[in-house]
Amino acid sequence: MSLYRNIIWFLKGIHEYTRSGFEAASTHFVEKDLDVSVAGKSFMITGANSGIGKATAIAIAKRGGTIHMVCRNKERAEEAREDIIRETGNKEIHVHLLDMAETQKVWEFAESFKKRHRSLNVLINNAGCMVHRREVNSEGLEKNFATNTLGVYILTKSLIPLLERSSNPRVVTVSSGGMLVQKLSTSDLQSEEGYFDGTMVYAQNKRQQVVMTEQWAKAHSSIHFSSMHPGWADTPAVATAMPQFHRTMQDKLRTAEQGADTAVWLAVSDAAAATPSGQFFQDRKAVPAHLPLAWTHSSPEEEQNFMTQLEELAKAFQPPTVTRFRTVRTSPEHFSIKSTPHY
């Protein structure tokens, strides 16, 4: 079955995820959807210093939004901030330093942000990593899971009260079409069993993000939740994490701006807000979160089990100063939080 999934997914990718796929899809875009001003609204973007995250920040800053860049590396973040200001003329660009792999620090950052800011209109979960050999952080958590899944869970759940107090709140999670080859696994979140394949672990994390998005949409009706696939984009993260794929597909890859287009559309357009919450998007339209006949659907019980495990893990790393709830140290040579491969 996994061979079937991989073949169908790759054929689908060649047709839809490439630059030509974006160009074909864009002929159906409604241009006025992005002809909007978001002045006075605030947007938090993780991994905003390069690739899709930076392209998303630039597009929203051009429309007047206040940008909160959440990045791991101070020097790169400040350099990206200057680039964004120079390109957009928008000076409301703020840098926050956070390693999404540092579970307890994610908690602390979210709580501190809530105390210092009255509102947050949109959270864009973009940062992530793909580590190709199994490693654990200082808290004993497998690094891909800690960054791509648990960090996203804690940041989002912690900020939900702030989002709910804001106008037209949204959460956009940059997932990946790679999740289509994975069925949600609830028995081995830390990838302790069997052969460790970093690419498949990453794909499983991206499936987990889609499930989280669906579950949050059911639990928090006042917030519009969505996940999306940016397509195969030519970003530094893809070149670093998947060098062979990048070399083979380089001429066919989307630009970072094309990869960011749907995330921007989901974050700012009225058309996106009018769609049902919790869906998975590609090129500005909701698409199935499962390949046909791929047997990747999970039961409500499996999904609830997954969410319960996340809640318990999050609580285990909750700092004493954080009331009620729910949280990875990693070496920079193995991954960067600035963006995810999103293959």
Side-chain angles (χ1 to χ4, degrees):
M1 179 59 69
S2 61
L3 178 61
Y4 165 79
R5 293 175 191 163
N6 290 337
I7 292 173
I8 296 300
W9 171 80
F10 186 75
L11 293 175
K12 178 181 178 68
I14 289 293
H15 179 65
E16 298 179 15
Y17 302 164
T18 54
R19 186 184 308 169
S20 61
F22 176 84
E23 291 168 351
S26 67
T27 61
H28 301 288
F29 291 173
V30 178
E31 188 174 347
K32 68 177 183 180
D33 280 357
L34 293 184
D35 186 16
V36 297
S37 170
V38 290
K41 293 188 175 182
S42 59
F43 298 76
M44 180 183 291
I45 307 171
T46 63
N49 62 303
S50 74
I52 289 168
K54 183 178 179 182
T56 301
I58 289 172
I60 295 174
K62 284 180 177 179
R63 292 165 174 81
T66 296
I67 306 295
H68 294 281
M69 303 171 60
V70 179
C71 306
R72 183 170 68 101
N73 184 287
K74 185 178 189 300
E75 182 179 344
R76 292 175 184 169
E78 292 291 353
E79 183 179 337
R81 176 180 179 271
E82 292 303 317
D83 289 344
I84 295 168
I85 292 173
R86 183 167 51 250
E87 184 165 342
T88 67
N90 185 341
K91 295 183 179 180
E92 288 298 316
I93 314 297
H94 309 281
V95 168
H96 305 269
L97 296 179
L98 172 68
D99 189 339
M100 287 292 291
E102 297 280 356
T103 311
Q104 186 165 313
K105 284 185 169 56
V106 177
W107 267 115
E108 293 169 348
F109 166 76
E111 293 302 309
S112 175
F113 189 90
K114 285 191 293 187
K115 291 175 182 177
R116 291 185 291 118
H117 298 274
R118 292 185 175 183
S119 68
L120 176 66
N121 300 97
V122 181
L123 167 63
I124 302 175
N125 292 309
N126 168 71
C129 73
M130 184 189 291
V131 180
H132 286 287
R133 64 174 184 269
R134 190 179 189 279
E135 300 178 33
V136 297
N137 65 357
S138 61
E139 295 159 318
L141 298 171
E142 191 276 317
K143 290 181 178 179
N144 291 298
F145 171 78
T147 305
N148 302 330
T149 302
L150 190 58
V152 170
Y153 177 81
I154 291 169
L155 182 64
T156 303
K157 287 288 285 184
S158 298
L159 292 176
I160 279 175
L162 184 60
L163 286 158
E164 288 179 328
R165 295 199 301 268
S166 308
S167 64
N168 195 15
R170 312 182 194 191
V171 175
V172 180
T173 298
V174 182
S175 182
S176 168
M179 66 91 190
L180 292 169
V181 304
Q182 289 284 308
K183 181 183 186 295
L184 177 69
S185 173
T186 62
S187 62
D188 186 25
L189 297 184
Q190 302 294 317
S191 303
E192 298 174 285
E193 302 170 4
Y195 175 74
F196 185 88
D197 183 333
T199 304
M200 289 299 101
V201 170
Y202 175 85
Q204 173 64 209
N205 295 160
K206 293 299 172 178
R207 169 62 71 187
Q208 292 165 350
Q209 290 180 350
V210 170
V211 171
M212 286 191 290
T213 297
E214 294 168 347
Q215 295 300 311
W216 286 330
K218 295 175 184 177
H220 304 281
S221 59
S222 64
I223 301 173
H224 188 275
F225 291 90
S226 59
S227 58
M228 57 81 68
H229 177 36
W232 295 340
D234 189 356
T235 66
V238 170
T240 300
M242 307 178 70
Q244 184 174 350
F245 174 82
H246 183 263
R247 284 193 299 270
T248 303
M249 299 296 296
Q250 190 168 16
D251 294 339
K252 297 181 175 63
L253 298 179
R254 300 180 177 197
T255 65
E257 291 74 21
Q258 290 171 336
D261 178 83
T262 296
V264 175
W265 181 81
L266 286 166
V268 307
S269 75
D270 292 337
T275 64
S277 183
Q279 297 187 102
F280 179 64
F281 287 81
Q282 175 188 312
D283 293 332
R284 301 194 194 182
K285 67 178 182 179
V287 295
H290 300 274
L291 293 171
L293 304 177
W295 296 93
T296 54
H297 290 269
S298 48
S299 68
E301 292 76 19
E302 288 172 318
E303 293 177 356
Q304 185 55 56
N305 178 19
F306 168 65
M307 298 298 287
T308 299
Q309 288 189 66
L310 288 184
E311 179 79 4
E312 291 173 351
L313 273 172
K315 284 181 177 178
F317 295 98
Q318 181 178 353
T321 53
V322 177
T323 42
R324 275 203 58 106
F325 188 148
R326 302 93 161 124
T327 315
V328 180
R329 182 114 218 181
T330 154
S331 51
E333 66 266 27
H334 295 308
F335 79 95
S336 170
I337 195 169
K338 62 187 178 182
S339 58
T340 53
H342 305 309
Y343 67 98

